[in-house]
Amino acid sequence: SNEELPLVFMLNQNYPNPFNPTTNISYSLVNSVKVTLKIYDVLGNLIQTLVNEQQSAGNHEINFSGTNLASGLYIYRIQAGSFTQQKKMILLK
């Protein structure tokens, strides 16, 4: 495709936020890299691993479902090579 590759690694704010019960998380990869994307509760407990694989450069999006989770604040964190970033999201039932 003629889609331009991202210039920077980036983790975007989920949308919708607050969400119930599903939300989308998107991120950009500058090059092909091993990616993990994990959801944590505010205490730092791992709730779910959404991504754990080598991925190609470009823009990626994944859907997260909080159907079985309690309302509250959650953290999502990406690690892509040496790049890490985290953001907060709110599940409101």
Side-chain angles (χ1 to χ4, degrees):
S1 70
N2 292 332
E3 191 178 335
E4 289 187 32
L5 291 177
L7 298 175
V8 292
F9 284 99
M10 187 179 301
L11 179 63
N12 300 310
Q13 187 65 48
N14 65 298
Y15 70 90
N17 186 45
F19 66 98
N20 177 30
T22 65
T23 188
N24 293 293
I25 298 172
S26 62
Y27 53 94
S28 301
L29 305 176
V30 177
N31 54 353
S32 175
V33 70
K34 170 75 182 293
V35 177
T36 60
L37 181 62
K38 299 181 179 184
I39 311 293
Y40 298 90
D41 65 17
V42 287
L43 299 177
N45 300 305
L46 178 63
I47 300 297
Q48 190 177 345
T49 299
L50 293 179
V51 180
N52 183 18
E53 64 183 13
Q54 186 84 14
Q55 291 192 322
S56 59
N59 299 305
H60 298 261
E61 184 172 273
I62 190 161
N63 187 266
F64 171 66
S65 172
T67 302
N68 300 321
L69 298 175
S71 293
L73 182 66
Y74 292 88
I75 311 293
Y76 57 103
R77 178 181 175 90
I78 193 171
Q79 181 159 5
S82 60
F83 171 80
T84 62
Q85 192 172 355
Q86 64 183 35
K87 290 185 181 293
K88 297 173 182 174
M89 60 182 177
I90 298 170
L91 174 58
L92 206 55
K93 294 189 171 178

Short mmCIF file of all heavy atoms in Angstrom, two decimals, residues 7-57:
data_model
loop_
_atom_site.label_atom_id
_atom_site.label_comp_id
_atom_site.label_asym_id
_atom_site.label_seq_id
_atom_site.Cartn_x
_atom_site.Cartn_y
_atom_site.Cartn_z
N LEU A 7 6.38 7.81 11.86
CA LEU A 7 7.73 8.31 12.12
C LEU A 7 8.14 8.06 13.57
O LEU A 7 9.32 8.10 13.89
CB LEU A 7 7.79 9.81 11.83
CG LEU A 7 7.52 10.20 10.37
CD1 LEU A 7 7.49 11.72 10.22
CD2 LEU A 7 8.57 9.59 9.45
N VAL A 8 7.17 7.84 14.43
CA VAL A 8 7.47 7.62 15.84
C VAL A 8 6.62 6.48 16.38
O VAL A 8 5.51 6.23 15.90
CB VAL A 8 7.21 8.89 16.70
CG1 VAL A 8 8.22 9.98 16.35
CG2 VAL A 8 5.80 9.39 16.52
N PHE A 9 7.15 5.80 17.40
CA PHE A 9 6.35 4.84 18.15
C PHE A 9 5.34 5.63 18.98
O PHE A 9 5.69 6.66 19.57
CB PHE A 9 7.24 4.02 19.10
CG PHE A 9 8.05 2.97 18.40
CD1 PHE A 9 9.38 3.20 18.08
CD2 PHE A 9 7.49 1.75 18.06
CE1 PHE A 9 10.13 2.23 17.45
CE2 PHE A 9 8.23 0.76 17.42
CZ PHE A 9 9.55 1.01 17.11
N MET A 10 4.10 5.17 19.02
CA MET A 10 3.08 5.90 19.75
C MET A 10 1.98 4.97 20.23
O MET A 10 1.57 4.06 19.50
CB MET A 10 2.47 6.98 18.85
CG MET A 10 1.50 7.92 19.56
SD MET A 10 0.84 9.19 18.42
CE MET A 10 2.37 9.97 17.90
N LEU A 11 1.53 5.21 21.44
CA LEU A 11 0.36 4.54 21.98
C LEU A 11 -0.72 5.60 22.12
O LEU A 11 -0.52 6.63 22.77
CB LEU A 11 0.68 3.94 23.36
CG LEU A 11 -0.47 3.23 24.06
CD1 LEU A 11 -0.94 2.00 23.27
CD2 LEU A 11 -0.06 2.81 25.48
N ASN A 12 -1.86 5.38 21.48
CA ASN A 12 -2.94 6.37 21.48
C ASN A 12 -3.92 6.13 22.62
O ASN A 12 -4.03 5.01 23.12
CB ASN A 12 -3.68 6.34 20.15
CG ASN A 12 -2.76 6.65 18.99
OD1 ASN A 12 -2.04 7.64 19.00
ND2 ASN A 12 -2.75 5.78 17.99
N GLN A 13 -4.63 7.19 22.98
CA GLN A 13 -5.68 7.04 24.00
C GLN A 13 -6.79 6.16 23.44
O GLN A 13 -7.18 6.30 22.28
CB GLN A 13 -6.25 8.42 24.38
CG GLN A 13 -7.23 8.39 25.55
CD GLN A 13 -6.57 7.95 26.84
OE1 GLN A 13 -5.51 8.44 27.21
NE2 GLN A 13 -7.21 7.01 27.54
N ASN A 14 -7.26 5.25 24.26
CA ASN A 14 -8.35 4.36 23.82
C ASN A 14 -9.62 5.15 23.54
O ASN A 14 -9.82 6.25 24.07
CB ASN A 14 -8.61 3.30 24.89
CG ASN A 14 -9.14 3.89 26.18
OD1 ASN A 14 -8.46 4.68 26.83
ND2 ASN A 14 -10.35 3.52 26.56
N TYR A 15 -10.47 4.60 22.70
CA TYR A 15 -11.77 5.21 22.47
C TYR A 15 -12.80 4.11 22.22
O TYR A 15 -12.46 3.09 21.62
CB TYR A 15 -11.70 6.19 21.28
CG TYR A 15 -11.51 5.52 19.94
CD1 TYR A 15 -12.60 5.11 19.16
CD2 TYR A 15 -10.23 5.25 19.46
CE1 TYR A 15 -12.42 4.47 17.94
CE2 TYR A 15 -10.04 4.61 18.24
CZ TYR A 15 -11.14 4.22 17.50
OH TYR A 15 -10.95 3.58 16.30
N PRO A 16 -14.04 4.26 22.66
CA PRO A 16 -14.42 5.37 23.56
C PRO A 16 -13.79 5.21 24.94
O PRO A 16 -13.36 4.13 25.31
CB PRO A 16 -15.95 5.21 23.64
CG PRO A 16 -16.20 3.76 23.39
CD PRO A 16 -15.15 3.33 22.40
N ASN A 17 -13.74 6.30 25.68
CA ASN A 17 -13.23 6.30 27.04
C ASN A 17 -13.93 7.41 27.82
O ASN A 17 -13.78 8.56 27.44
CB ASN A 17 -11.72 6.55 27.05
CG ASN A 17 -11.12 6.43 28.45
OD1 ASN A 17 -11.42 5.51 29.17
ND2 ASN A 17 -10.28 7.39 28.82
N PRO A 18 -14.70 7.12 28.87
CA PRO A 18 -14.95 5.79 29.44
C PRO A 18 -15.64 4.85 28.46
O PRO A 18 -16.25 5.30 27.50
CB PRO A 18 -15.86 6.10 30.64
CG PRO A 18 -15.66 7.54 30.94
CD PRO A 18 -15.37 8.17 29.62
N PHE A 19 -15.55 3.55 28.75
CA PHE A 19 -16.13 2.56 27.84
C PHE A 19 -16.96 1.53 28.59
O PHE A 19 -16.81 1.34 29.79
CB PHE A 19 -15.03 1.86 27.04
CG PHE A 19 -14.10 1.00 27.86
CD1 PHE A 19 -14.29 -0.37 27.95
CD2 PHE A 19 -13.02 1.56 28.54
CE1 PHE A 19 -13.43 -1.17 28.69
CE2 PHE A 19 -12.15 0.76 29.29
CZ PHE A 19 -12.36 -0.61 29.37
N ASN A 20 -17.88 0.90 27.86
CA ASN A 20 -18.71 -0.19 28.39
C ASN A 20 -19.37 -0.92 27.23
O ASN A 20 -20.20 -0.33 26.57
CB ASN A 20 -19.77 0.35 29.34
CG ASN A 20 -20.67 -0.77 29.85
OD1 ASN A 20 -20.26 -1.91 29.98
ND2 ASN A 20 -21.92 -0.43 30.13
N PRO A 21 -19.04 -2.19 26.97
CA PRO A 21 -17.97 -2.91 27.66
C PRO A 21 -16.70 -2.99 26.84
O PRO A 21 -15.72 -3.53 27.30
CB PRO A 21 -18.58 -4.31 27.82
CG PRO A 21 -19.39 -4.48 26.56
CD PRO A 21 -19.90 -3.10 26.21
N THR A 22 -16.72 -2.45 25.59
CA THR A 22 -15.54 -2.61 24.74
C THR A 22 -14.96 -1.26 24.34
O THR A 22 -15.64 -0.23 24.30
CB THR A 22 -15.85 -3.40 23.45
OG1 THR A 22 -16.77 -2.65 22.65
CG2 THR A 22 -16.44 -4.76 23.78
N THR A 23 -13.65 -1.28 24.02
CA THR A 23 -12.96 -0.07 23.60
C THR A 23 -11.86 -0.47 22.62
O THR A 23 -11.46 -1.63 22.55
CB THR A 23 -12.36 0.68 24.82
OG1 THR A 23 -11.86 1.95 24.39
CG2 THR A 23 -11.25 -0.11 25.50
N ASN A 24 -11.41 0.49 21.83
CA ASN A 24 -10.34 0.25 20.86
C ASN A 24 -9.05 0.92 21.32
O ASN A 24 -9.07 2.05 21.77
CB ASN A 24 -10.73 0.80 19.48
CG ASN A 24 -11.89 0.03 18.89
OD1 ASN A 24 -11.76 -1.14 18.56
ND2 ASN A 24 -13.04 0.68 18.77
N ILE A 25 -7.95 0.18 21.18
CA ILE A 25 -6.62 0.70 21.50
C ILE A 25 -5.79 0.64 20.23
O ILE A 25 -5.67 -0.41 19.61
CB ILE A 25 -5.95 -0.15 22.60
CG1 ILE A 25 -6.77 -0.09 23.91
CG2 ILE A 25 -4.51 0.32 22.84
CD1 ILE A 25 -6.30 -1.05 24.98
N SER A 26 -5.25 1.79 19.84
CA SER A 26 -4.44 1.83 18.62
C SER A 26 -3.03 2.31 18.95
O SER A 26 -2.80 3.01 19.93
CB SER A 26 -5.08 2.73 17.57
OG SER A 26 -5.18 4.07 18.04
N TYR A 27 -2.10 1.88 18.10
CA TYR A 27 -0.70 2.23 18.32
C TYR A 27 0.05 2.19 17.00
O TYR A 27 -0.42 1.58 16.03
CB TYR A 27 -0.04 1.31 19.36
CG TYR A 27 -0.19 -0.17 19.07
CD1 TYR A 27 0.79 -0.88 18.38
CD2 TYR A 27 -1.32 -0.87 19.49
CE1 TYR A 27 0.66 -2.24 18.12
CE2 TYR A 27 -1.46 -2.22 19.24
CZ TYR A 27 -0.47 -2.90 18.56
OH TYR A 27 -0.61 -4.24 18.29
N SER A 28 1.19 2.86 16.97
CA SER A 28 1.99 2.97 15.75
C SER A 28 3.37 2.39 15.99
O SER A 28 3.99 2.64 17.03
CB SER A 28 2.13 4.44 15.34
OG SER A 28 0.85 5.00 15.12
N LEU A 29 3.84 1.63 15.00
CA LEU A 29 5.17 1.02 15.07
C LEU A 29 6.02 1.54 13.91
O LEU A 29 5.58 1.52 12.76
CB LEU A 29 5.07 -0.51 14.97
CG LEU A 29 4.16 -1.20 15.99
CD1 LEU A 29 4.10 -2.68 15.70
CD2 LEU A 29 4.63 -0.93 17.42
N VAL A 30 7.22 1.99 14.23
CA VAL A 30 8.13 2.54 13.22
C VAL A 30 8.73 1.43 12.36
O VAL A 30 8.95 1.58 11.17
CB VAL A 30 9.24 3.37 13.88
CG1 VAL A 30 10.24 3.88 12.85
CG2 VAL A 30 8.64 4.53 14.65
N ASN A 31 9.00 0.30 13.02
CA ASN A 31 9.58 -0.83 12.29
C ASN A 31 9.01 -2.13 12.84
O ASN A 31 8.26 -2.12 13.81
CB ASN A 31 11.12 -0.81 12.39
CG ASN A 31 11.60 -0.77 13.83
OD1 ASN A 31 10.82 -0.61 14.76
ND2 ASN A 31 12.90 -0.91 14.02
N SER A 32 9.35 -3.23 12.20
CA SER A 32 8.89 -4.53 12.66
C SER A 32 9.56 -4.83 13.99
O SER A 32 10.78 -4.72 14.12
CB SER A 32 9.24 -5.59 11.63
OG SER A 32 8.90 -6.88 12.10
N VAL A 33 8.77 -5.22 14.98
CA VAL A 33 9.29 -5.33 16.34
C VAL A 33 8.42 -6.28 17.15
O VAL A 33 7.25 -6.51 16.82
CB VAL A 33 9.36 -3.91 16.98
CG1 VAL A 33 7.98 -3.37 17.27
CG2 VAL A 33 10.23 -3.89 18.21
N LYS A 34 9.01 -6.85 18.20
CA LYS A 34 8.23 -7.67 19.13
C LYS A 34 7.40 -6.75 20.01
O LYS A 34 7.93 -5.84 20.65
CB LYS A 34 9.17 -8.52 20.00
CG LYS A 34 8.51 -9.23 21.17
CD LYS A 34 7.68 -10.43 20.72
CE LYS A 34 6.98 -11.10 21.90
NZ LYS A 34 7.88 -11.75 22.87
N VAL A 35 6.09 -6.99 20.04
CA VAL A 35 5.16 -6.11 20.75
C VAL A 35 4.43 -6.89 21.84
O VAL A 35 3.95 -8.00 21.61
CB VAL A 35 4.11 -5.52 19.79
CG1 VAL A 35 3.09 -4.66 20.55
CG2 VAL A 35 4.78 -4.71 18.70
N THR A 36 4.35 -6.29 23.03
CA THR A 36 3.40 -6.77 24.03
C THR A 36 2.50 -5.60 24.41
O THR A 36 2.95 -4.46 24.54
CB THR A 36 4.08 -7.32 25.30
OG1 THR A 36 4.86 -6.29 25.91
CG2 THR A 36 4.97 -8.51 24.98
N LEU A 37 1.22 -5.90 24.53
CA LEU A 37 0.23 -4.91 24.97
C LEU A 37 -0.57 -5.57 26.08
O LEU A 37 -1.22 -6.60 25.87
CB LEU A 37 -0.68 -4.49 23.82
CG LEU A 37 -1.74 -3.45 24.16
CD1 LEU A 37 -1.10 -2.13 24.61
CD2 LEU A 37 -2.65 -3.20 22.97
N LYS A 38 -0.47 -5.01 27.28
CA LYS A 38 -1.06 -5.64 28.46
C LYS A 38 -1.95 -4.66 29.21
O LYS A 38 -1.69 -3.46 29.24
CB LYS A 38 0.04 -6.18 29.38
CG LYS A 38 0.90 -7.25 28.71
CD LYS A 38 1.97 -7.79 29.63
CE LYS A 38 2.78 -8.87 28.92
NZ LYS A 38 3.77 -9.50 29.81
N ILE A 39 -2.98 -5.23 29.83
CA ILE A 39 -3.91 -4.47 30.64
C ILE A 39 -3.66 -4.80 32.10
O ILE A 39 -3.55 -5.98 32.46
CB ILE A 39 -5.38 -4.83 30.31
CG1 ILE A 39 -5.63 -4.81 28.80
CG2 ILE A 39 -6.35 -3.92 31.06
CD1 ILE A 39 -5.55 -3.47 28.15
N TYR A 40 -3.58 -3.76 32.94
CA TYR A 40 -3.36 -3.94 34.38
C TYR A 40 -4.45 -3.22 35.16
O TYR A 40 -5.02 -2.24 34.68
CB TYR A 40 -2.02 -3.34 34.81
CG TYR A 40 -0.82 -3.99 34.17
CD1 TYR A 40 -0.31 -3.51 32.97
CD2 TYR A 40 -0.17 -5.06 34.77
CE1 TYR A 40 0.80 -4.09 32.37
CE2 TYR A 40 0.94 -5.65 34.19
CZ TYR A 40 1.42 -5.16 32.99
OH TYR A 40 2.52 -5.74 32.40
N ASP A 41 -4.71 -3.69 36.39
CA ASP A 41 -5.56 -2.91 37.28
C ASP A 41 -4.67 -1.88 37.98
O ASP A 41 -3.46 -1.85 37.78
CB ASP A 41 -6.33 -3.81 38.25
CG ASP A 41 -5.44 -4.55 39.24
OD1 ASP A 41 -4.27 -4.18 39.41
OD2 ASP A 41 -5.94 -5.53 39.83
N VAL A 42 -5.30 -1.03 38.80
CA VAL A 42 -4.54 0.06 39.43
C VAL A 42 -3.51 -0.44 40.43
O VAL A 42 -2.59 0.29 40.78
CB VAL A 42 -5.48 1.08 40.11
CG1 VAL A 42 -6.19 1.92 39.08
CG2 VAL A 42 -6.46 0.39 41.03
N LEU A 43 -3.66 -1.69 40.88
CA LEU A 43 -2.69 -2.25 41.82
C LEU A 43 -1.51 -2.88 41.09
O LEU A 43 -0.57 -3.35 41.72
CB LEU A 43 -3.37 -3.30 42.70
CG LEU A 43 -4.52 -2.78 43.57
CD1 LEU A 43 -5.17 -3.91 44.35
CD2 LEU A 43 -4.03 -1.69 44.51
N GLY A 44 -1.57 -2.89 39.75
CA GLY A 44 -0.47 -3.45 38.98
C GLY A 44 -0.63 -4.92 38.64
O GLY A 44 0.29 -5.54 38.12
N ASN A 45 -1.78 -5.47 38.95
CA ASN A 45 -2.04 -6.87 38.61
C ASN A 45 -2.37 -7.00 37.13
O ASN A 45 -3.18 -6.24 36.60
CB ASN A 45 -3.21 -7.43 39.43
CG ASN A 45 -2.95 -7.38 40.92
OD1 ASN A 45 -1.95 -7.90 41.39
ND2 ASN A 45 -3.82 -6.72 41.66
N LEU A 46 -1.75 -7.97 36.47
CA LEU A 46 -2.01 -8.20 35.05
C LEU A 46 -3.42 -8.75 34.87
O LEU A 46 -3.77 -9.77 35.45
CB LEU A 46 -0.98 -9.17 34.47
CG LEU A 46 -1.15 -9.53 33.01
CD1 LEU A 46 -1.01 -8.31 32.11
CD2 LEU A 46 -0.13 -10.59 32.60
N ILE A 47 -4.22 -8.06 34.07
CA ILE A 47 -5.59 -8.49 33.78
C ILE A 47 -5.63 -9.33 32.52
O ILE A 47 -6.26 -10.38 32.48
CB ILE A 47 -6.51 -7.26 33.61
CG1 ILE A 47 -6.53 -6.40 34.88
CG2 ILE A 47 -7.92 -7.70 33.22
CD1 ILE A 47 -7.08 -7.09 36.09
N GLN A 48 -4.97 -8.85 31.47
CA GLN A 48 -5.01 -9.57 30.20
C GLN A 48 -3.84 -9.13 29.32
O GLN A 48 -3.43 -7.97 29.35
CB GLN A 48 -6.33 -9.27 29.48
CG GLN A 48 -6.57 -10.15 28.25
CD GLN A 48 -7.93 -9.86 27.61
OE1 GLN A 48 -8.79 -9.23 28.21
NE2 GLN A 48 -8.10 -10.31 26.40
N THR A 49 -3.30 -10.07 28.54
CA THR A 49 -2.31 -9.76 27.51
C THR A 49 -3.04 -9.75 26.17
O THR A 49 -3.56 -10.79 25.75
CB THR A 49 -1.17 -10.80 27.50
OG1 THR A 49 -0.52 -10.77 28.78
CG2 THR A 49 -0.16 -10.48 26.41
N LEU A 50 -3.10 -8.59 25.54
CA LEU A 50 -3.83 -8.46 24.27
C LEU A 50 -2.95 -8.80 23.07
O LEU A 50 -3.43 -9.33 22.08
CB LEU A 50 -4.35 -7.03 24.11
CG LEU A 50 -5.44 -6.58 25.08
CD1 LEU A 50 -5.82 -5.14 24.80
CD2 LEU A 50 -6.66 -7.48 24.97
N VAL A 51 -1.66 -8.45 23.16
CA VAL A 51 -0.73 -8.69 22.05
C VAL A 51 0.56 -9.24 22.64
O VAL A 51 1.03 -8.74 23.66
CB VAL A 51 -0.42 -7.39 21.27
CG1 VAL A 51 0.56 -7.65 20.14
CG2 VAL A 51 -1.70 -6.75 20.75
N ASN A 52 1.12 -10.25 21.99
CA ASN A 52 2.43 -10.77 22.40
C ASN A 52 3.04 -11.45 21.18
O ASN A 52 3.04 -12.67 21.08
CB ASN A 52 2.29 -11.74 23.57
CG ASN A 52 3.63 -12.24 24.06
OD1 ASN A 52 4.67 -11.64 23.78
ND2 ASN A 52 3.64 -13.35 24.77
N GLU A 53 3.54 -10.65 20.24
CA GLU A 53 4.04 -11.21 18.98
C GLU A 53 4.84 -10.17 18.21
O GLU A 53 4.78 -8.98 18.48
CB GLU A 53 2.86 -11.67 18.11
CG GLU A 53 1.95 -10.54 17.68
CD GLU A 53 0.74 -11.00 16.88
OE1 GLU A 53 0.47 -12.21 16.86
OE2 GLU A 53 0.08 -10.14 16.27
N GLN A 54 5.58 -10.66 17.24
CA GLN A 54 6.28 -9.78 16.30
C GLN A 54 5.23 -9.14 15.39
O GLN A 54 4.33 -9.84 14.89
CB GLN A 54 7.25 -10.61 15.46
CG GLN A 54 8.15 -9.80 14.54
CD GLN A 54 9.39 -9.26 15.25
OE1 GLN A 54 9.72 -9.69 16.34
NE2 GLN A 54 10.08 -8.33 14.61
N GLN A 55 5.31 -7.83 15.21
CA GLN A 55 4.35 -7.15 14.34
C GLN A 55 5.08 -6.25 13.35
O GLN A 55 6.18 -5.79 13.61
CB GLN A 55 3.35 -6.33 15.17
CG GLN A 55 2.41 -7.20 15.98
CD GLN A 55 1.25 -6.42 16.55
OE1 GLN A 55 1.41 -5.28 16.97
NE2 GLN A 55 0.07 -7.03 16.58
N SER A 56 4.42 -6.01 12.23
CA SER A 56 5.01 -5.20 11.18
C SER A 56 4.87 -3.71 11.49
O SER A 56 4.04 -3.30 12.29
CB SER A 56 4.33 -5.51 9.85
OG SER A 56 2.94 -5.25 9.95
N ALA A 57 5.71 -2.92 10.83
CA ALA A 57 5.62 -1.46 10.96
C ALA A 57 4.26 -0.99 10.47
O ALA A 57 3.66 -1.61 9.59
CB ALA A 57 6.73 -0.81 10.15
#
